[in-house]
Amino acid sequence: MECGDRIGRAAAYAAAAALVSYLVIKVSWVAGSLLGLLPAGRGFGLGGWVVLNTVTIGMAAAGITLGLALVRPWGMRIPGRLVGFVAWVGSGFLVSILPFVAVSALLDSRTRSPAGSGQSGGAAAMPGWEAVLLQCSFVGTGLALAVAFPAYLRRRWPHALRRPRRTGPRASSGPWWPVVTGALTGSVWLYWAAGGLLGITDRDERPAGWHVLVGVSACWALAASAAALTLRRRRPARLWYPFLLATVWLGSGSMFAWSGWRLPATVYVTLTHPSDVHYPENAALAVTLHLTAVLTGAGLLRTLVRGGKDAPA
């Protein structure tokens, strides 16, 4: 067994272990809310809070299963599309969370979960030790999966990261619209993150966490669009090909995962008008951007997969 493969296998176990504390905390929130020991999060009634955290419990369980699938023999028998989809969505969440955690630590701001930073409601009076455990779960899982997943790819699909051998000038194919919509969506988010006010209806509801998450989402959308454009227009050097693939993979996953998470939350707040939750963006514009980002992320992934199928082994 090669050293790189051993490191990848150890990282897969570490990714699964890192999410255990997140899973335990979320289960305690649900149980505590149902027993009347813990209050519901800001902007939620008991039913909505339980549903929200039950969904995140399922996501954590899927993440733990993914980590084990990347190292255990049964993971090689799981359909490749299922493994790829779960890894893609999970990576999309993590590449947005990690910068949020890092910037929040540097600013020494009040610790809150990404869900509570003006996006989907947060836990009421979260203890500091819980916030630390949640952040360690995100950071540990993200770093570990970044090592474990490429090792799994090399074991299961040895040609996945190789540059396609083509005689034509282009290294990828597919429709143009995901590149265009990704660039447009990312530009709007970047404008808001930089302090732009067009499309903002509540200027006071823009905490630092909101700026960070919107800015990170903008950067990933723009980076994925630029990388996809490069793959379409020219045949990249062997050194840059895996980097461009990873950028499209992570950027499209970030758009699909985070906007897929924010879209129902935005619709919920728009329809129910909770008194203690207000989004800064115009509701109709925010819904349009999130829906566009979800479709764009899926479109970029489809282009990436089609490009891989077109390449000879």
Side-chain angles (χ1 to χ4, degrees):
M1 184 183 299
E2 299 180 357
C3 178
D5 189 56
R6 288 197 298 269
I7 294 175
R9 292 174 182 272
Y13 283 119
L19 276 176
V20 172
S21 59
Y22 179 90
L23 179 65
V24 171
I25 289 173
K26 288 292 186 172
V27 170
S28 70
W29 286 4
V30 171
S33 297
L34 292 175
L35 295 174
L37 302 177
L38 293 175
R42 185 168 62 97
F44 286 89
L46 177 60
W49 181 244
V50 170
V51 170
L52 172 67
N53 284 284
T54 300
V55 171
T56 59
I57 287 172
M59 294 167 61
I64 293 173
T65 303
L66 172 64
L68 295 176
L70 297 182
V71 64
R72 300 303 302 167
W74 52 264
M76 303 293 284
R77 299 190 296 270
I78 297 177
R81 291 185 178 181
L82 179 59
V83 175
F85 179 77
V86 174
W88 177 60
V89 173
S91 300
F93 276 119
L94 291 170
V95 295
S96 295
I97 290 176
L98 297 184
F100 174 87
V101 173
V103 173
S104 296
L106 289 175
L107 295 177
D108 195 25
S109 61
R110 179 183 176 183
T111 303
R112 293 189 298 183
S113 68
S117 57
Q119 297 300 331
S120 59
M126 182 194 302
W129 64 269
E130 280 192 352
V132 171
L133 283 179
L134 291 177
Q135 292 181 356
C136 288
S137 293
F138 297 143
V139 173
T141 302
L143 296 177
L145 285 180
V147 177
F149 192 65
Y152 176 85
L153 285 179
R154 285 193 294 269
R155 289 196 303 272
R156 185 163 183 176
W157 300 290
H159 304 290
L161 299 180
R162 294 183 184 178
R163 183 184 64 171
R165 299 186 300 274
R166 296 189 176 193
T167 57
R170 294 182 180 179
S172 182
S173 60
W176 278 96
W177 68 264
V179 176
V180 176
T181 55
L184 291 175
T185 303
S187 297
V188 175
W189 284 340
L190 187 62
Y191 168 75
W192 282 346
L197 297 179
L198 290 177
I200 299 296
T201 57
D202 194 337
R203 301 182 181 184
D204 297 330
E205 290 293 332
R206 294 182 298 167
W210 179 85
H211 283 279
V212 173
L213 284 176
V214 173
V216 170
S217 297
C219 291
W220 278 116
L222 293 172
S225 298
L229 180 63
T230 302
L231 288 171
R232 288 184 58 95
R233 294 179 60 87
R234 65 189 64 179
R235 190 167 182 261
R238 185 181 300 274
L239 177 65
W240 288 105
Y241 185 70
F243 173 78
L244 292 172
L245 289 182
T247 302
V248 177
W249 171 272
L250 294 173
S252 62
S254 175
M255 284 187 285
F256 183 89
W258 274 106
S259 283
W261 178 261
R262 293 170 182 165
L263 180 59
T266 303
V267 173
Y268 172 83
V269 171
T270 301
L271 295 178
T272 60
H273 301 288
S275 59
D276 53 352
V277 174
H278 304 280
Y279 285 174
E281 314 97 312
N282 173 272
L285 181 56
V287 168
T288 300
L289 287 174
H290 290 322
L291 181 59
T292 301
V294 170
L295 296 176
T296 298
L300 287 174
L301 178 66
R302 184 171 182 269
T303 298
L304 194 65
V305 172
R306 287 184 59 184
K309 289 181 177 180
D310 292 341

